[in-house]
Amino acid sequence: MITTKGYAAQSPETELAPWSFERRDVGEHDVQFDIMYCGVCHSDLHQIKNDWFPGIFPMVPGHEIVGKVAAVGAHVKKYKVGDLVGVGCLVDSCRTCENCQEGLEQYCLNGNSQTYNGLEQDKKTPTYGGYSNTIVVHEDFVLSISDKLHLAAVAPLLCAGITTYSPLKYWKVGKGHKLAVAGLGGLGHMAVKFGVAFGAEVTVLSTSPEKEQDAKKLGAHKFVVTKDEQQFKAAMGSFDFILDTVSAKHNINDYLGLLKTNGVMICVGAPSEPSPISAFAIIGGRKSLAGSGIGGLPETQEMLDYCAEHNIVSDIEMIDIKDISSAYERMLKGDVKYRFVIDMATL
Ligand code: NAP
Ligand code: ZN
Ligand code: ZN
């Protein structure tokens, strides 16, 4: 076993603190890499607080992981020691179901293995995430990372990046479309970058008027302060798509009113509290309400390669791991520009 240093929450009531645990030895098809940076996703906070469902504790969060390969198993073909690699939200899946066969491991019909707060495919061994110094993952779930980009700023692509890239690709959002991005946080700022790169006219729907300048710098064409009734009313019926990245309860019916006829609202934000939907909000104008979860392995690699080619990374604020609790407090207030990334050398 490999003794690993990390930060864990021992229960939903406790703050993250240093914790040592064991990872498996490097198997024939495994890659072990030293973690250099790990992004801080709002899902980390939801999960350590048991917002969604009772979690597996102690919990080591982190699913935006990048680093350098330290060891490979005898049969590993894709990677060698020294390569830059990453791991996102998944470390394994059944590989045999219809969805896995199509590269949609995020929707594995037999239950995939999430990077943390999950179980390995033996359905017994808990998984521990990237707020740690090293990780061992089957090569099929390890992604290749270009050395052309700022490595720390690549980390958030592994969740915030793919979660926004995947639905924009699936719904073919691009030239001639008006896209609104609800919530300008970690996911939202990546959605703006991809929306702009794909050629859409992008509007940010935000509760934070002070983010307008940033939104424009990120490439957004328009900015609507959702708390301003007049601005909200003026935007009614204007968008082909809304990508909703909001992390807390909000009135989805109101946002549906912003869609054009045949418009689609895609939820990726995952508030813990459900929101009631009125059928009338989608009947009038033949509107669709949809959802999307992260992305499969082939598409995640496609997204990373696209970002390397188009020089797209996340806007980050680097933190020491000891400051993780205050980073969470700031994230809850929407005060992140636009993703915290932990410098794992501070562990
Ligand atoms: P984040 O950085 O905290 O951003 C969320 C943004 O939502 C905030 O910056 C804020 O933007 C807006 N917001 C917060 N509270 C709001 C409220 N009450 N009403 C309206 N807007 C509000 O979080 P994130 O890391 O981007 O994650 C966003 C959500 O996506 C989380 O729920 C997370 O768990 C989920 N997620 C889902 C997937 C998936 O696969 N579907 C993957 C990753 C994350 P403004 O200041 O601009 O209003
Ligand atoms: Zn995430
Ligand atoms: Zn499967």
Side-chain angles (χ1 to χ4, degrees):
M1 300 293 266
I2 299 166
T3 302
T4 306
K5 282 198 296 182
Y7 257 54
Q10 298 295 325
S11 77
E13 289 78 37
T14 54
E15 290 200 350
L16 289 178
W19 185 60
S20 256
F21 59 101
E22 304 284 322
R23 294 203 189 269
R24 67 169 182 266
D25 288 322
V26 180
E28 288 182 337
H29 294 280
D30 284 338
V31 171
Q32 183 195 358
F33 66 94
D34 295 327
I35 300 175
M36 294 163 73
Y37 303 103
C38 184
V40 178
C41 180
H42 206 115
S43 304
D44 299 347
L45 184 54
H46 285 308
Q47 292 185 85
I48 61 160
K49 293 297 171 207
N50 271 358
D51 272 0
W52 294 336
F53 49 81
I56 302 167
F57 290 88
M59 191 187 298
V60 178
H63 58 205
E64 296 183 335
I65 311 168
V66 294
K68 214 173 243 184
V69 175
V72 294
H75 295 318
V76 168
K77 293 195 190 77
K78 283 166 67 186
Y79 302 104
K80 58 180 192 316
V81 171
D83 285 351
L84 292 178
V85 293
V87 162
C89 303
L90 300 172
V91 288
D92 212 345
S93 71
C94 86
R95 296 145 188 265
T96 56
C97 75
E98 206 177 302
N99 290 348
C100 283
Q101 296 270 310
E102 269 186 60
L104 297 171
E105 298 87 353
Q106 76 273 38
Y107 307 129
C108 174
L109 298 171
N110 297 308
N112 54 38
S113 301
Q114 304 265 321
T115 301
Y116 70 88
N117 195 21
L119 298 173
E120 297 284 0
Q121 287 298 295
D122 64 7
K123 309 287 178 193
K124 286 193 301 239
T125 312
T127 56
Y128 299 113
Y131 296 9
S132 58
N133 64 335
T134 191
I135 192 165
V136 178
V137 179
H138 190 289
E139 67 170 325
D140 291 350
F141 285 75
V142 174
L143 296 140
S144 171
I145 289 187
S146 160
D147 58 5
K148 280 193 244 155
L149 300 173
H150 174 34
L151 188 63
V154 168
L157 301 178
L158 275 314
C159 176
I162 185 62
T163 302
T164 49
Y165 179 93
S166 182
L168 296 179
K169 279 280 174 182
Y170 180 79
W171 274 277
K172 300 185 171 61
V173 178
K175 272 200 182 69
H177 289 139
K178 293 191 176 177
L179 166 70
V181 174
L184 193 64
L187 267 58
H189 93 292
M190 289 311 306
V192 171
K193 292 189 185 206
F194 288 130
V196 170
F198 298 164
E201 183 190 288
V202 179
T203 300
V204 170
L205 308 174
S206 175
T207 59
S208 312
E210 69 280 4
K211 290 183 184 173
E212 178 161 3
Q213 283 233 319
D214 287 346
K216 299 268 166 79
K217 262 192 247 155
L218 289 164
H221 305 92
K222 293 181 181 166
F223 189 87
V224 171
V225 180
T226 49
K227 291 185 295 194
D228 180 324
E229 232 173 278
Q230 255 180 326
Q231 286 192 33
F232 200 90
K233 261 199 189 145
M236 295 294 271
S238 3
F239 305 111
D240 299 287
F241 297 97
I242 299 173
L243 190 60
D244 181 355
T245 76
V246 173
S247 53
K249 193 175 177 187
H250 54 296
N251 190 334
I252 291 180
N253 300 303
D254 289 348
Y255 287 78
L256 286 165
L258 301 177
L259 288 174
K260 286 189 196 172
T261 302
N262 298 325
V264 183
M265 174 157 167
I266 308 151
C267 298
V268 290
S272 52
E273 254 189 284
S275 262
I277 312 282
S278 160
F280 294 107
I282 45 180
I283 287 174
R286 194 167 48 198
K287 292 170 184 173
S288 303
L289 181 61
S292 184
I294 49 173
L297 270 292
E299 193 175 42
T300 305
Q301 189 62 62
E302 174 193 307
M303 178 272 314
L304 287 167
D305 297 345
Y306 179 89
C307 289
E309 198 180 315
H310 294 85
N311 201 21
I312 294 175
V313 287
S314 175
D315 289 18
I316 64 164
E317 208 178 303
M318 195 96 84
I319 57 164
D320 286 9
I321 193 147
K322 66 172 173 36
D323 298 324
I324 186 67
S325 296
S326 49
Y328 283 152
E329 275 166 37
R330 283 186 48 200
M331 185 161 67
L332 261 185
K333 288 188 228 147
D335 175 23
V336 193
K337 292 194 166 185
Y338 274 87
R339 194 61 141 187
F340 291 117
V341 170
I342 306 165
D343 178 357
M344 219 42 79
T346 63
L347 183 67

